[in-house]
């Protein structure tokens, strides 16, 4: 996610950047300018997702800058940041995403970011993407991962639910079946290893002696992002988690 911040008062710009960084996910890129013309020049070579713009600025004001930004990218989210309420109508006419009255604060910024006109999807940054909200699904580079056994997928779901904790094979056996199926469990583990290796994510699943776990640093997961406070993930959550399985008791509100 790329974010543009423009305010001709340097101290106000620093404060704005600090408050925005408390809300947006780690890894976002920030372009900060006191000169709106320099900001405009930057956007010609960079895709901007959200632009926080002061309105009262010399040379061109925030309203004029917003019009130019929308000419470059019609779906850029414009959030005006100003000490005056008089520009609200102009902001509405521009189809701005939000309007923040100074002094800026984390709560004010969060309220606007959680209601963007053009929501920003979480972009995959790793080879394996996991969807826990609703039904559990696994993707590699955007394509569904298909296992030989349906229980392989459920086993991996349980490990992802446990967030990297090493799980004893006895516990895995008890979760997946009510009776002993350790020989079948070995087949599931082999299925997971070969399937993930085939899609370039073989290092996600780790098997050591009598335990298994996943390397969470190599997974993009909506539930993990939710816990980090990622506003995009928070908006995606509708109270449903790994719905096809009977064992999840996990609550994202805990």
């Amino acid at each position: 996610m790329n974010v543009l911040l423009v305010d001709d008062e340097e101290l106000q710009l620093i404060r704005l950047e600090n408050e925005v960084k408390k809300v947006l996910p780690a890894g976002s890129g920030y372009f900060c300018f006191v000169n709106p013309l320099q900001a405009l020049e930057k956007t010609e070579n960079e895709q901007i997702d959200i632009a926080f713009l002061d309105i009262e600025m010399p040379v061109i004001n925030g309203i004029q800058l917003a019009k130019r930004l929308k000419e470059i990218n019609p779906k850029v989210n414009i959030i005006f940041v100003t000490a005056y309420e008089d520009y609200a109508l102009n902001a509405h006419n521009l189809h701005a995403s939000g309007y923040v009255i100074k002094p800026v604060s984390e709560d004010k910024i969060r309220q606007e970011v959680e209601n963007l006109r053009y929501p920003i999807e979480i972009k995959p940054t790793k080879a394996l993407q996991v969807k826990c909200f609703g039904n559990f699904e696994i993707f590699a580079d955007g394509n569904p991962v298909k296992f030989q056994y349906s229980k392989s997928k459920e086993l991996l779901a349980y490990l992802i639910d446990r967030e990297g904790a090493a799980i004893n094979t006895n516990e895995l056996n008890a979760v997946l079946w009510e009776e002993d199926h350790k020989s079948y469990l070995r087949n599931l583990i082999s299925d997971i290893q070969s399937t993930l290796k085939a899609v370039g994510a073989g290092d996600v699943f780790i098997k050591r002696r009598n335990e298994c776990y996943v390397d969470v640093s190599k997974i993009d997961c909506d539930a993990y992002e939710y816990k980090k406070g990622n506003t995009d993930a928070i908006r995606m959550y509708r109270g449903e988690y790994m719905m096809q399985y009977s064992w999840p008791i996990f609550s994202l509100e805990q």
Side-chain angles (χ1 to χ4, degrees):
M1 181 188 302
N2 285 337
V3 185
L4 179 71
L5 305 99
V6 187
D7 194 313
D8 64 314
E9 297 183 26
E10 187 171 359
L11 291 179
Q12 294 285 355
L13 182 62
I14 293 172
R15 177 171 182 172
L16 175 62
E17 182 184 11
N18 289 338
E19 297 304 313
V20 169
K21 284 183 174 179
K22 295 176 184 178
V23 176
L24 297 183
S28 298
Y30 295 89
F31 305 104
C32 303
F33 296 92
V34 293
N35 185 321
L37 291 179
Q38 291 178 349
L40 184 60
E41 182 180 353
K42 183 68 174 180
T43 61
E44 293 177 353
N45 300 310
E46 294 286 349
Q47 175 71 29
I48 301 298
D49 299 298
I50 309 176
F52 292 87
L53 308 179
D54 184 27
I55 293 182
E56 289 286 353
M57 295 187 292
V59 187
I60 62 171
N61 63 32
I63 301 291
Q64 295 168 321
L65 178 57
K67 290 179 180 178
R68 299 284 295 276
L69 294 179
K70 280 192 165 291
E71 290 173 0
I72 297 171
N73 176 14
K75 290 192 175 182
V76 62
N77 289 286
I78 302 291
I79 298 178
F80 289 112
V81 184
T82 180
Y84 308 99
E85 298 184 9
D86 301 343
Y87 294 100
L89 179 59
N90 286 332
H92 175 75
N93 291 338
L94 268 171
H95 303 291
S97 181
Y99 197 87
V100 175
I101 300 297
K102 296 179 181 179
V104 297
S105 68
E106 178 182 353
D107 289 341
K108 290 179 182 179
I109 298 295
R110 186 178 302 279
Q111 181 177 351
E112 300 304 327
V113 168
E114 290 181 353
N115 294 279
L116 293 175
R117 179 175 290 272
Y118 304 107
I120 301 167
E121 295 182 3
I122 300 173
K123 296 179 175 63
T125 59
K126 303 179 177 69
L128 201 64
Q129 302 91 50
V130 173
K131 174 180 172 290
C132 295
F133 299 159
N135 283 336
F136 175 78
E137 302 294 344
I138 310 171
F139 303 88
D141 295 326
N143 299 310
V145 175
K146 299 185 181 300
F147 297 94
Q148 181 178 355
Y149 307 107
S150 61
K151 282 290 184 182
S152 300
K153 182 177 176 180
E154 184 175 358
L155 190 160
L156 191 56
Y158 187 75
L159 294 176
I160 288 171
D161 175 76
R162 297 303 300 272
E163 301 181 58
I167 308 302
N168 188 277
T169 52
N170 290 328
E171 180 178 340
L172 293 174
N173 187 84
V175 169
L176 298 175
W177 305 282
E178 293 183 357
E179 54 190 46
D180 190 356
H181 282 286
K182 287 189 177 65
S183 59
Y184 188 23
L185 180 62
R186 287 193 290 271
N187 291 338
L188 302 187
I189 291 172
S190 177
D191 184 24
I192 292 173
Q193 289 173 323
S194 60
T195 301
L196 293 186
K197 182 178 180 179
V199 298
D203 55 351
V204 171
F205 177 84
I206 297 97
K207 170 69 170 68
R208 292 179 180 171
R209 295 194 178 185
N210 294 320
E211 61 184 23
C212 305
Y213 62 96
V214 293
D215 185 344
V216 297
S217 70
K218 303 181 186 304
I219 300 172
D220 276 324
C221 175
D222 50 7
Y224 296 170
E225 291 300 314
Y226 183 106
K227 285 196 166 187
K228 294 176 184 177
N230 186 317
T231 54
D232 298 319
I234 291 170
R235 282 197 303 273
M236 292 163 56
Y237 181 53
R238 296 293 182 268
E240 297 179 336
Y241 177 83
M242 295 190 181
M243 294 295 291
Q244 72 264 53
Y245 304 129
S246 60
W247 46 260
I249 56 174
F250 181 77
S251 172
L252 293 174
E253 278 74 34
Q254 288 180 349

